[in-house]
Amino acid sequence: MRLARCSAALFFLTFLGCDNSGGSGGSGGGGGGSADTGFRPMKDGFGFENYTNMGVTNMTADELRRMFGDQVCGSMMGGCTLTPPAQQWMDEANKAMDGGHCFGFSHLALQLYRGTLRPADFGGASTSALAKDGNDKLQRELAYWMATQFVKPSAERFVTDLAPNDVLGKLRQAFSAGMGGEQYTLGIFKMEMGKRTGGHAVTPYAIADGNPVRLMVYDNNFPNQERSLEIDSGANSWKYTATINPSEPAGLYQGDATTKTLMLAPVSSAQGQQACPFCGNMMMTMMSDRQVIPNGAARVSVTDDQGRMVSDTANQIPGAETAPMMSADLFSHHEPLFRLPGGSDLTIAIDGSDMQASTQESVSVLGQGYTLAVEGVTLAPGQTDTLRVTKAGDQIRYRTSSMETPVVVLGVQSAGPDYAFGIRVSGDADGQEAVLRIDLQSGQLAVEIKDNANTTYGITIRRIDDGGVSEFTHAGATVGGNDTVYLDYAAWGGQGQPLTIEVDQGSDGTIDQTLLLSDDN
């Protein structure tokens, strides 16, 4: 069984406001004597290995409410029911943990050592005595701290522009302050083809001077072991032999003053409530920042309506940022996460030209009060699909050139009820284009599936309000290749009631047919 992988996807990492001190790559900090926090992996690390999502519980609505406050709740009837953007964000964050939970391991272990949190709260006398299996509370806590790297102020205070000697200098200073000083998780990356990849998070706890200097770390892929990065202070370079787990092949991580492949994440900025990147009324969203979240093996690039593009190797969009993802496999390619300014429509290319086999892909776009996504895409080698979203967050357009059965998602948070829509489009060998467009004023969702013939589709609607949650599902609806169907969602009577749809045949602006679709629930 393949156990602990590296993890934690620096999912929504933003570099605005990062501390760039020491970024010149000078020699300061390389010397100065040994330093030690007293932390030891055998007693202060977890006794179990970093793990994937199999058989565990990650974040729930309770963790999201703790992180962002009650604004993530669309309804409090019977407990917090998340708004559609909150649910989508949490789902994406939890999926990122399928590669492991390394960032959460480090941040939580440091707080248990410091005494900010207590092992007894999770069922053990010490950190090393805590059990993972059957410990839902601990699993959720590890997931919570992993996800703090995705948000502000936690992520914007990551110290990223550091040479190896600068890292030693900052850690010496922190270690010398004792229990009152800052605690840091250390992020390590590879540099391949001009970009940082294969990220992993470990816990630094001591510096042993010598030639080379040994930076002692608790690596959550290796419980109960002392491991170290080697830092050549004269050359201002570093190296570390890492692996997913002891049974897997090892790979060498290394860098110098130019690569900037070491990162320090302060624990203090992750404590307390974080700023919610997706909360708010969709009607106010035109200029809000967006997050584009890929999940899969395809190359992804984003282009604005002026033709400027951002990818993992280039950035032409002012204010756009990319964040290297902590991968599910230390030695595989994974796309970064994108943070983009508002005010522009976006075109997202999902490019399989470098792939050797078909993969499952999804891409989500989140802005203030809305989410747009395509899920369940089976992308073949050489295939490129396209996703287009409007700056207002009110329309998503997905185009594929091959047989696909994707789910196109649109969710909104508003002053009234919140709605989440999922339209599952039946595949066509020649490909097709699916368009969802919401009009909050009229209470209608327009659905166009542009094809050469009639297309079958399924509908899921979820309404969240003060009265709780109501759901509508219907499979087997049909739309003509040039038709537009309007779902009268605001007039829907609730669970078990039919949904009125209006059909504009030929999409000429005239309603030609009104139908009732039954609720299959």
Side-chain angles (χ1 to χ4, degrees):
M1 177 180 180
R2 180 182 248 190
L3 296 175
R5 299 183 180 186
C6 169
S7 141
L10 276 178
F11 217 34
F12 306 104
L13 169 63
T14 58
F15 296 115
L16 287 179
C18 284
D19 180 353
N20 293 324
S21 62
S24 64
S27 60
S34 299
D36 196 328
T37 66
F39 182 106
R40 291 296 181 269
M42 286 287 291
K43 64 182 180 67
D44 303 309
F46 294 95
F48 51 88
E49 192 175 304
N50 184 20
Y51 56 88
T52 67
N53 282 347
M54 184 177 296
V56 300
T57 301
N58 285 323
M59 287 193 298
T60 68
D62 289 340
E63 281 69 53
L64 222 63
R65 189 179 177 191
R66 171 182 164 193
M67 185 175 290
F68 299 120
D70 289 348
Q71 59 186 330
V72 301
C73 303
S75 173
M76 293 300 297
M77 178 69 67
C80 174
T81 299
L82 297 175
T83 67
Q87 185 69 52
Q88 186 78 16
W89 189 92
M90 186 183 74
D91 290 347
E92 293 294 341
N94 283 341
K95 280 192 290 185
M97 301 181 204
D98 195 38
H101 298 66
C102 57
F103 192 91
F105 269 72
S106 180
H107 259 32
L108 182 54
L110 285 168
Q111 291 179 95
L112 291 170
Y113 178 66
R114 175 70 64 87
T116 309
L117 298 170
R118 300 186 309 153
D121 293 335
F122 306 99
S126 65
T127 302
S128 61
L130 292 172
K132 170 183 74 79
D133 294 342
N135 195 339
D136 179 83
K137 186 176 182 180
L138 179 60
Q139 294 167 12
R140 290 164 57 181
E141 192 71 13
L142 283 163
Y144 175 89
W145 291 106
M146 188 283 258
T148 60
Q149 67 187 292
F150 307 161
V151 292
K152 297 178 179 181
S154 178
E156 67 182 343
R157 294 178 185 167
F158 289 176
V159 191
T160 59
D161 193 17
L162 293 175
N165 284 343
D166 302 323
V167 171
L168 286 178
K170 280 193 170 293
L171 290 178
R172 286 187 200 279
Q173 182 179 18
F175 293 173
S176 67
M179 298 298 278
E182 181 62 83
Q183 298 169 296
Y184 289 102
T185 284
L186 176 67
I188 62 173
F189 300 88
K190 286 187 170 185
M191 180 63 74
E192 297 177 343
M193 299 178 64
K195 58 182 179 293
R196 286 179 288 182
T197 64
H200 185 38
V202 297
T203 308
Y205 62 86
I207 298 170
D209 277 328
N211 186 19
V213 178
R214 295 173 64 213
L215 175 59
M216 306 303 298
V217 298
Y218 158 51
D219 187 335
N220 43 79
N221 286 348
F222 293 88
N224 302 315
Q225 295 186 31
E226 291 190 343
R227 294 174 65 81
S228 63
L229 277 77
E230 294 184 1
I231 298 179
D232 184 334
S233 57
N236 209 353
S237 64
W238 69 277
K239 63 181 179 180
Y240 180 67
T241 300
T243 185
I244 298 171
N245 62 58
S247 65
E248 298 288 339
L252 180 65
Y253 276 56
Q254 58 187 339
D256 56 29
T258 65
T259 62
K260 304 301 182 350
T261 43
L262 295 175
M263 177 272 290
L264 291 174
V267 173
S268 63
S269 63
Q271 296 168 334
Q273 188 167 310
Q274 302 289 303
C276 182
F278 49 80
C279 296
N281 189 333
M282 184 201 172
M283 296 293 288
M284 309 296 291
T285 198
M286 188 73 73
M287 298 303 294
S288 71
D289 290 344
R290 282 81 53 86
Q291 295 176 340
V292 177
I293 309 167
N295 193 301
R299 301 280 181 175
V300 172
S301 61
V302 184
T303 304
D304 68 9
D305 52 17
Q306 297 184 49
R308 300 173 297 190
M309 186 268 288
V310 59
S311 70
D312 62 353
T313 58
N315 188 355
Q316 303 167 341
I317 302 177
E321 301 163 356
T322 62
M325 181 182 288
M326 293 278 194
S327 69
D329 186 320
L330 290 173
F331 315 116
S332 296
H333 167 80
H334 291 271
E335 286 298 276
L337 279 298
F338 303 87
R339 183 174 182 269
L340 296 108
S344 174
D345 297 344
L346 301 176
T347 300
I348 303 162
I350 311 169
D351 184 358
S353 59
D354 292 342
M355 299 189 320
Q356 302 302 311
S358 295
T359 63
Q360 287 290 308
E361 303 287 331
S362 66
V363 175
S364 297
V365 181
L366 291 116
Q368 181 181 321
Y370 73 87
T371 179
L372 305 167
V374 59
E375 301 174 343
V377 175
T378 302
L379 199 72
Q383 177 184 338
T384 298
D385 289 356
T386 304
L387 182 66
R388 293 184 173 88
V389 300
T390 56
K391 57 189 174 185
D394 59 354
Q395 179 175 296
I396 178 172
R397 182 182 298 266
Y398 174 67
R399 173 67 187 169
T400 179
S401 58
S402 65
M403 174 70 77
E404 295 287 354
T405 308
V407 177
V408 185
V409 175
L410 190 155
V412 297
Q413 178 181 358
S414 69
D418 302 333
Y419 287 91
F421 306 92
I423 306 297
R424 180 178 292 277
V425 181
S426 295
D428 188 293
D430 296 327
Q432 55 201 347
E433 186 173 52
V435 183
L436 272 60
R437 183 175 65 255
I438 193 169
D439 187 333
L440 294 176
Q441 300 296 330
S442 67
Q444 290 184 321
L445 180 78
V447 178
E448 301 176 61
I449 304 173
K450 298 183 179 182
D451 204 337
N452 295 324
N454 291 349
T455 300
T456 302
Y457 63 99
I459 303 168
T460 300
I461 301 175
R462 198 164 189 255
R463 183 173 69 200
I464 305 165
D465 56 25
D466 292 340
V469 180
S470 301
E471 293 187 353
F472 174 91
T473 62
H474 184 90
T478 302
V479 61
N482 294 310
D483 298 348
T484 300
V485 175
Y486 295 91
L487 313 183
D488 292 335
Y489 68 85
W492 174 51
Q495 194 98 10
Q497 299 299 308
L499 174 72
T500 299
I501 68 169
E502 300 171 16
V503 182
D504 177 1
Q505 296 174 348
S507 299
D508 59 4
T510 301
I511 300 301
D512 302 288
Q513 193 176 20
T514 301
L515 303 171
L516 290 177
L517 297 183
S518 61
D519 186 358
D520 296 339
N521 283 314

